[in-house]
Amino acid sequence: QVQLVESGGGSVQSGGSLTLSCVAPGYTTSSKCIGWFRQAAGKERERVACLHLELNKTNYPDSVKGRFTISRDAAKNTLYLQMNNLEPEDTAVYYCAAGRACRIPEIDAWGQGTQVTVS
């Protein structure tokens, strides 16, 4: 079973940057997609970045496109989310995920989440 452990969350001022990391041993052999989701207080969980491993393609919603970048270091089994020009609306708990597709019903493993607060 894929286990995911995030780190790198914290508090930052508007316009600042943060990089989230997710260590995911084994995800490259058992998952087709890996990505990052977030859930703000009182809102539904939403996808913010996806990497399709077989096609090596990335996907972002318009809300973060141009500001967030997903990448991975396969040798370290680590997934990253570089977040630039952060806005208060980006405040949420961020989750690393792996699954058959970057859609919530097809996610097979979630990390524990890391809080990002933008003020």
Side-chain angles (χ1 to χ4, degrees):
Q1 184 177 357
V2 177
Q3 294 183 333
L4 310 173
V5 180
E6 303 103 334
S7 62
S11 297
V12 65
Q13 290 188 339
S14 183
S17 298
L18 280 175
T19 300
L20 305 182
S21 300
C22 172
V23 178
Y27 73 77
T28 55
T29 60
S30 62
S31 302
K32 292 186 177 180
C33 293
I34 50 177
W36 292 91
F37 291 71
R38 69 185 180 188
Q39 188 165 17
K43 295 187 177 181
E44 294 185 352
R45 192 169 297 191
E46 62 175 351
R47 182 183 67 212
V48 294
C50 180
L51 173 61
H52 193 289
L53 295 174
E54 293 180 350
L55 300 178
N56 197 28
K57 287 188 175 181
T58 58
N59 180 270
Y60 307 91
D62 289 342
S63 59
V64 306
K65 194 174 294 183
R67 301 189 298 121
F68 289 13
T69 302
I70 187 173
S71 63
R72 68 167 177 151
D73 184 331
K76 297 182 178 179
N77 285 324
T78 302
L79 182 69
Y80 301 99
L81 183 67
Q82 175 67 43
M83 304 184 293
N84 297 326
N85 195 21
L86 284 161
E87 305 168 350
E89 293 73 22
D90 297 315
T91 295
V93 178
Y94 284 70
Y95 298 90
C96 176
R100 293 150 284 152
C102 274
R103 293 186 290 270
I104 290 176
E106 297 185 68
I107 294 297
D108 299 314
W110 295 94
Q112 82 284 359
T114 185
Q115 176 71 46
V116 172
T117 303
V118 186
S119 59

mmCIF file of all heavy atoms in Angstrom, residues 45-78:
data_model
loop_
_atom_site.group_PDB
_atom_site.id
_atom_site.type_symbol
_atom_site.label_atom_id
_atom_site.label_comp_id
_atom_site.label_asym_id
_atom_site.label_seq_id
_atom_site.Cartn_x
_atom_site.Cartn_y
_atom_site.Cartn_z
ATOM 1 N N ARG A 45 -12.833 19.431 -0.911
ATOM 2 C CA ARG A 45 -11.454 19.200 -1.346
ATOM 3 C C ARG A 45 -11.370 19.387 -2.853
ATOM 4 O O ARG A 45 -12.248 18.938 -3.589
ATOM 5 C CB ARG A 45 -11.017 17.786 -0.947
ATOM 6 C CG ARG A 45 -9.539 17.530 -1.094
ATOM 7 C CD ARG A 45 -9.142 16.222 -0.435
ATOM 8 N NE ARG A 45 -9.373 16.243 1.011
ATOM 9 C CZ ARG A 45 -8.928 15.311 1.835
ATOM 10 N NH1 ARG A 45 -8.217 14.276 1.368
ATOM 11 N NH2 ARG A 45 -9.187 15.387 3.119
ATOM 12 N N GLU A 46 -10.307 20.040 -3.310
ATOM 13 C CA GLU A 46 -10.131 20.301 -4.729
ATOM 14 C C GLU A 46 -8.709 19.980 -5.159
ATOM 15 O O GLU A 46 -7.762 20.085 -4.395
ATOM 16 C CB GLU A 46 -10.431 21.772 -5.056
ATOM 17 C CG GLU A 46 -9.509 22.767 -4.371
ATOM 18 C CD GLU A 46 -9.754 24.206 -4.807
ATOM 19 O OE1 GLU A 46 -10.516 24.442 -5.755
ATOM 20 O OE2 GLU A 46 -9.152 25.108 -4.196
ATOM 21 N N ARG A 47 -8.586 19.603 -6.413
ATOM 22 C CA ARG A 47 -7.276 19.318 -6.970
ATOM 23 C C ARG A 47 -6.573 20.615 -7.337
ATOM 24 O O ARG A 47 -7.195 21.528 -7.885
ATOM 25 C CB ARG A 47 -7.427 18.448 -8.220
ATOM 26 C CG ARG A 47 -6.122 18.031 -8.872
ATOM 27 C CD ARG A 47 -6.390 17.242 -10.142
ATOM 28 N NE ARG A 47 -6.999 18.072 -11.161
ATOM 29 C CZ ARG A 47 -7.860 17.631 -12.061
ATOM 30 N NH1 ARG A 47 -8.248 16.372 -12.052
ATOM 31 N NH2 ARG A 47 -8.361 18.445 -12.959
ATOM 32 N N VAL A 48 -5.274 20.702 -7.046
ATOM 33 C CA VAL A 48 -4.508 21.883 -7.434
ATOM 34 C C VAL A 48 -3.356 21.555 -8.380
ATOM 35 O O VAL A 48 -2.824 22.447 -9.040
ATOM 36 C CB VAL A 48 -3.962 22.644 -6.211
ATOM 37 C CG1 VAL A 48 -5.093 23.245 -5.399
ATOM 38 C CG2 VAL A 48 -3.076 21.771 -5.340
ATOM 39 N N ALA A 49 -2.964 20.299 -8.451
ATOM 40 C CA ALA A 49 -1.892 19.924 -9.382
ATOM 41 C C ALA A 49 -1.899 18.418 -9.569
ATOM 42 O O ALA A 49 -2.135 17.679 -8.616
ATOM 43 C CB ALA A 49 -0.531 20.367 -8.860
ATOM 44 N N CYS A 50 -1.647 17.993 -10.794
ATOM 45 C CA CYS A 50 -1.642 16.563 -11.092
ATOM 46 C C CYS A 50 -0.514 16.238 -12.050
ATOM 47 O O CYS A 50 -0.239 17.002 -12.972
ATOM 48 C CB CYS A 50 -2.983 16.166 -11.698
ATOM 49 S SG CYS A 50 -3.099 14.423 -12.120
ATOM 50 N N LEU A 51 0.130 15.115 -11.822
ATOM 51 C CA LEU A 51 1.165 14.615 -12.718
ATOM 52 C C LEU A 51 0.778 13.202 -13.157
ATOM 53 O O LEU A 51 0.655 12.305 -12.329
ATOM 54 C CB LEU A 51 2.521 14.593 -12.009
ATOM 55 C CG LEU A 51 3.677 13.932 -12.759
ATOM 56 C CD1 LEU A 51 3.962 14.655 -14.065
ATOM 57 C CD2 LEU A 51 4.927 13.879 -11.897
ATOM 58 N N HIS A 52 0.570 13.049 -14.466
ATOM 59 C CA HIS A 52 0.288 11.725 -15.014
ATOM 60 C C HIS A 52 1.623 11.052 -15.278
ATOM 61 O O HIS A 52 2.408 11.513 -16.109
ATOM 62 C CB HIS A 52 -0.526 11.852 -16.300
ATOM 63 C CG HIS A 52 -1.110 10.561 -16.754
ATOM 64 N ND1 HIS A 52 -0.329 9.543 -17.277
ATOM 65 C CD2 HIS A 52 -2.374 10.093 -16.787
ATOM 66 C CE1 HIS A 52 -1.095 8.523 -17.593
ATOM 67 N NE2 HIS A 52 -2.337 8.834 -17.318
ATOM 68 N N LEU A 53 1.887 9.977 -14.577
ATOM 69 C CA LEU A 53 3.220 9.382 -14.615
ATOM 70 C C LEU A 53 3.553 8.765 -15.966
ATOM 71 O O LEU A 53 4.689 8.888 -16.443
ATOM 72 C CB LEU A 53 3.335 8.332 -13.510
ATOM 73 C CG LEU A 53 3.237 8.891 -12.092
ATOM 74 C CD1 LEU A 53 3.207 7.758 -11.079
ATOM 75 C CD2 LEU A 53 4.382 9.836 -11.803
ATOM 76 N N GLU A 54 2.600 8.113 -16.609
ATOM 77 C CA GLU A 54 2.908 7.447 -17.884
ATOM 78 C C GLU A 54 3.088 8.460 -19.008
ATOM 79 O O GLU A 54 3.953 8.313 -19.862
ATOM 80 C CB GLU A 54 1.803 6.457 -18.213
ATOM 81 C CG GLU A 54 1.736 5.271 -17.250
ATOM 82 C CD GLU A 54 0.630 4.302 -17.613
ATOM 83 O OE1 GLU A 54 -0.192 4.623 -18.484
ATOM 84 O OE2 GLU A 54 0.584 3.211 -17.003
ATOM 85 N N LEU A 55 2.253 9.501 -18.992
ATOM 86 C CA LEU A 55 2.326 10.501 -20.062
ATOM 87 C C LEU A 55 3.302 11.624 -19.721
ATOM 88 O O LEU A 55 3.654 12.420 -20.588
ATOM 89 C CB LEU A 55 0.939 11.104 -20.293
ATOM 90 C CG LEU A 55 -0.155 10.115 -20.700
ATOM 91 C CD1 LEU A 55 -1.493 10.847 -20.839
ATOM 92 C CD2 LEU A 55 0.207 9.404 -21.998
ATOM 93 N N ASN A 56 3.716 11.678 -18.441
ATOM 94 C CA ASN A 56 4.590 12.758 -17.959
ATOM 95 C C ASN A 56 3.993 14.121 -18.285
ATOM 96 O O ASN A 56 4.678 15.028 -18.775
ATOM 97 C CB ASN A 56 5.989 12.644 -18.557
ATOM 98 C CG ASN A 56 7.002 13.473 -17.787
ATOM 99 O OD1 ASN A 56 6.858 13.709 -16.595
ATOM 100 N ND2 ASN A 56 8.019 13.955 -18.485
ATOM 101 N N LYS A 57 2.713 14.263 -18.008
ATOM 102 C CA LYS A 57 2.011 15.522 -18.249
ATOM 103 C C LYS A 57 1.461 16.062 -16.932
ATOM 104 O O LYS A 57 1.075 15.299 -16.050
ATOM 105 C CB LYS A 57 0.866 15.318 -19.239
ATOM 106 C CG LYS A 57 1.327 15.103 -20.667
ATOM 107 C CD LYS A 57 0.142 15.094 -21.625
ATOM 108 C CE LYS A 57 0.613 15.003 -23.065
ATOM 109 N NZ LYS A 57 -0.537 15.015 -24.020
ATOM 110 N N THR A 58 1.421 17.380 -16.861
ATOM 111 C CA THR A 58 0.896 18.035 -15.669
ATOM 112 C C THR A 58 -0.420 18.745 -15.987
ATOM 113 O O THR A 58 -0.709 19.072 -17.149
ATOM 114 C CB THR A 58 1.894 19.046 -15.102
ATOM 115 O OG1 THR A 58 2.198 20.014 -16.109
ATOM 116 C CG2 THR A 58 3.176 18.362 -14.677
ATOM 117 N N ASN A 59 -1.183 18.966 -14.959
ATOM 118 C CA ASN A 59 -2.475 19.621 -15.116
ATOM 119 C C ASN A 59 -2.746 20.475 -13.895
ATOM 120 O O ASN A 59 -2.516 20.033 -12.758
ATOM 121 C CB ASN A 59 -3.569 18.562 -15.291
ATOM 122 C CG ASN A 59 -4.931 19.180 -15.449
ATOM 123 O OD1 ASN A 59 -5.634 19.409 -14.477
ATOM 124 N ND2 ASN A 59 -5.297 19.463 -16.690
ATOM 125 N N TYR A 60 -3.236 21.696 -14.123
ATOM 126 C CA TYR A 60 -3.536 22.624 -13.031
ATOM 127 C C TYR A 60 -4.882 23.299 -13.285
ATOM 128 O O TYR A 60 -5.215 23.603 -14.434
ATOM 129 C CB TYR A 60 -2.472 23.722 -12.934
ATOM 130 C CG TYR A 60 -1.056 23.237 -12.846
ATOM 131 C CD1 TYR A 60 -0.284 23.057 -13.991
ATOM 132 C CD2 TYR A 60 -0.474 22.985 -11.609
ATOM 133 C CE1 TYR A 60 1.023 22.620 -13.905
ATOM 134 C CE2 TYR A 60 0.841 22.555 -11.515
ATOM 135 C CZ TYR A 60 1.576 22.379 -12.666
ATOM 136 O OH TYR A 60 2.878 21.947 -12.579
ATOM 137 N N PRO A 61 -5.623 23.606 -12.244
ATOM 138 C CA PRO A 61 -6.825 24.424 -12.442
ATOM 139 C C PRO A 61 -6.422 25.881 -12.679
ATOM 140 O O PRO A 61 -5.306 26.296 -12.340
ATOM 141 C CB PRO A 61 -7.569 24.253 -11.114
ATOM 142 C CG PRO A 61 -6.492 24.014 -10.115
ATOM 143 C CD PRO A 61 -5.447 23.210 -10.835
ATOM 144 N N ASP A 62 -7.331 26.646 -13.221
ATOM 145 C CA ASP A 62 -7.031 28.043 -13.536
ATOM 146 C C ASP A 62 -6.647 28.843 -12.298
ATOM 147 O O ASP A 62 -5.878 29.803 -12.386
ATOM 148 C CB ASP A 62 -8.235 28.689 -14.215
ATOM 149 C CG ASP A 62 -8.451 28.167 -15.626
ATOM 150 O OD1 ASP A 62 -7.506 27.577 -16.203
ATOM 151 O OD2 ASP A 62 -9.562 28.333 -16.145
ATOM 152 N N SER A 63 -7.163 28.445 -11.156
ATOM 153 C CA SER A 63 -6.927 29.213 -9.932
ATOM 154 C C SER A 63 -5.459 29.234 -9.510
ATOM 155 O O SER A 63 -5.033 30.146 -8.791
ATOM 156 C CB SER A 63 -7.783 28.665 -8.789
ATOM 157 O OG SER A 63 -7.482 27.301 -8.557
ATOM 158 N N VAL A 64 -4.682 28.236 -9.936
ATOM 159 C CA VAL A 64 -3.273 28.184 -9.522
ATOM 160 C C VAL A 64 -2.319 28.147 -10.710
ATOM 161 O O VAL A 64 -1.100 28.201 -10.521
ATOM 162 C CB VAL A 64 -2.993 26.958 -8.622
ATOM 163 C CG1 VAL A 64 -3.952 26.941 -7.441
ATOM 164 C CG2 VAL A 64 -3.064 25.653 -9.408
ATOM 165 N N LYS A 65 -2.849 28.062 -11.918
ATOM 166 C CA LYS A 65 -2.005 27.951 -13.102
ATOM 167 C C LYS A 65 -1.066 29.156 -13.200
ATOM 168 O O LYS A 65 -1.490 30.304 -13.034
ATOM 169 C CB LYS A 65 -2.880 27.847 -14.347
ATOM 170 C CG LYS A 65 -2.147 27.399 -15.602
ATOM 171 C CD LYS A 65 -3.138 27.184 -16.742
ATOM 172 C CE LYS A 65 -4.063 26.019 -16.460
ATOM 173 N NZ LYS A 65 -4.991 25.748 -17.589
ATOM 174 N N GLY A 66 0.197 28.869 -13.433
ATOM 175 C CA GLY A 66 1.193 29.931 -13.511
ATOM 176 C C GLY A 66 1.826 30.274 -12.181
ATOM 177 O O GLY A 66 2.845 30.962 -12.133
ATOM 178 N N ARG A 67 1.219 29.797 -11.090
ATOM 179 C CA ARG A 67 1.760 30.067 -9.754
ATOM 180 C C ARG A 67 2.273 28.799 -9.070
ATOM 181 O O ARG A 67 3.241 28.857 -8.315
ATOM 182 C CB ARG A 67 0.688 30.711 -8.869
ATOM 183 C CG ARG A 67 0.136 32.013 -9.403
ATOM 184 C CD ARG A 67 -0.761 32.704 -8.396
ATOM 185 N NE ARG A 67 -1.939 31.899 -8.058
ATOM 186 C CZ ARG A 67 -2.238 31.484 -6.814
ATOM 187 N NH1 ARG A 67 -1.440 31.778 -5.803
ATOM 188 N NH2 ARG A 67 -3.331 30.774 -6.598
ATOM 189 N N PHE A 68 1.639 27.668 -9.330
ATOM 190 C CA PHE A 68 2.011 26.395 -8.710
ATOM 191 C C PHE A 68 2.679 25.504 -9.745
ATOM 192 O O PHE A 68 2.291 25.485 -10.914
ATOM 193 C CB PHE A 68 0.783 25.667 -8.164
ATOM 194 C CG PHE A 68 0.153 26.288 -6.944
ATOM 195 C CD1 PHE A 68 0.486 27.578 -6.529
ATOM 196 C CD2 PHE A 68 -0.781 25.585 -6.208
ATOM 197 C CE1 PHE A 68 -0.098 28.136 -5.412
ATOM 198 C CE2 PHE A 68 -1.372 26.132 -5.078
ATOM 199 C CZ PHE A 68 -1.024 27.415 -4.691
ATOM 200 N N THR A 69 3.669 24.742 -9.285
ATOM 201 C CA THR A 69 4.365 23.796 -10.155
ATOM 202 C C THR A 69 4.562 22.478 -9.418
ATOM 203 O O THR A 69 5.135 22.466 -8.320
ATOM 204 C CB THR A 69 5.734 24.338 -10.590
ATOM 205 O OG1 THR A 69 5.566 25.594 -11.253
ATOM 206 C CG2 THR A 69 6.406 23.360 -11.545
ATOM 207 N N ILE A 70 4.110 21.399 -10.035
ATOM 208 C CA ILE A 70 4.309 20.070 -9.487
ATOM 209 C C ILE A 70 5.512 19.438 -10.151
ATOM 210 O O ILE A 70 5.737 19.606 -11.350
ATOM 211 C CB ILE A 70 3.047 19.190 -9.677
ATOM 212 C CG1 ILE A 70 3.204 17.849 -8.948
ATOM 213 C CG2 ILE A 70 2.726 18.998 -11.154
ATOM 214 C CD1 ILE A 70 1.924 17.019 -8.948
ATOM 215 N N SER A 71 6.310 18.741 -9.354
ATOM 216 C CA SER A 71 7.471 18.049 -9.908
ATOM 217 C C SER A 71 7.784 16.855 -9.014
ATOM 218 O O SER A 71 7.233 16.723 -7.921
ATOM 219 C CB SER A 71 8.684 18.985 -9.982
ATOM 220 O OG SER A 71 9.068 19.407 -8.683
ATOM 221 N N ARG A 72 8.660 16.004 -9.505
ATOM 222 C CA ARG A 72 9.029 14.846 -8.696
ATOM 223 C C ARG A 72 10.485 14.503 -8.895
ATOM 224 O O ARG A 72 11.088 14.799 -9.938
ATOM 225 C CB ARG A 72 8.162 13.642 -9.055
ATOM 226 C CG ARG A 72 8.424 13.105 -10.448
ATOM 227 C CD ARG A 72 7.791 11.756 -10.645
ATOM 228 N NE ARG A 72 7.984 11.277 -12.011
ATOM 229 C CZ ARG A 72 8.045 10.004 -12.338
ATOM 230 N NH1 ARG A 72 7.931 9.078 -11.397
ATOM 231 N NH2 ARG A 72 8.200 9.628 -13.580
ATOM 232 N N ASP A 73 11.034 13.877 -7.885
ATOM 233 C CA ASP A 73 12.372 13.308 -7.954
ATOM 234 C C ASP A 73 12.187 11.805 -7.782
ATOM 235 O O ASP A 73 12.006 11.315 -6.668
ATOM 236 C CB ASP A 73 13.248 13.892 -6.840
ATOM 237 C CG ASP A 73 14.684 13.410 -6.927
ATOM 238 O OD1 ASP A 73 14.909 12.289 -7.434
ATOM 239 O OD2 ASP A 73 15.575 14.130 -6.472
ATOM 240 N N ALA A 74 12.190 11.087 -8.901
ATOM 241 C CA ALA A 74 11.907 9.666 -8.854
ATOM 242 C C ALA A 74 12.923 8.899 -8.012
ATOM 243 O O ALA A 74 12.577 7.945 -7.315
ATOM 244 C CB ALA A 74 11.855 9.097 -10.272
ATOM 245 N N ALA A 75 14.163 9.331 -8.052
ATOM 246 C CA ALA A 75 15.207 8.642 -7.294
ATOM 247 C C ALA A 75 14.963 8.727 -5.792
ATOM 248 O O ALA A 75 15.336 7.833 -5.036
ATOM 249 C CB ALA A 75 16.572 9.218 -7.645
ATOM 250 N N LYS A 76 14.334 9.823 -5.368
ATOM 251 C CA LYS A 76 14.045 10.016 -3.946
ATOM 252 C C LYS A 76 12.606 9.667 -3.599
ATOM 253 O O LYS A 76 12.196 9.841 -2.450
ATOM 254 C CB LYS A 76 14.317 11.471 -3.552
ATOM 255 C CG LYS A 76 15.771 11.891 -3.699
ATOM 256 C CD LYS A 76 15.957 13.338 -3.249
ATOM 257 C CE LYS A 76 17.409 13.771 -3.351
ATOM 258 N NZ LYS A 76 17.600 15.187 -2.936
ATOM 259 N N ASN A 77 11.826 9.198 -4.595
ATOM 260 C CA ASN A 77 10.407 8.915 -4.373
ATOM 261 C C ASN A 77 9.700 10.100 -3.730
ATOM 262 O O ASN A 77 8.887 9.947 -2.815
ATOM 263 C CB ASN A 77 10.234 7.678 -3.489
ATOM 264 C CG ASN A 77 10.521 6.395 -4.237
ATOM 265 O OD1 ASN A 77 10.223 6.280 -5.424
ATOM 266 N ND2 ASN A 77 11.109 5.430 -3.560
ATOM 267 N N THR A 78 10.003 11.283 -4.202
ATOM 268 C CA THR A 78 9.483 12.495 -3.593
ATOM 269 C C THR A 78 8.776 13.357 -4.622
ATOM 270 O O THR A 78 9.256 13.543 -5.735
ATOM 271 C CB THR A 78 10.609 13.298 -2.926
ATOM 272 O OG1 THR A 78 11.244 12.480 -1.936
ATOM 273 C CG2 THR A 78 10.060 14.543 -2.258
#
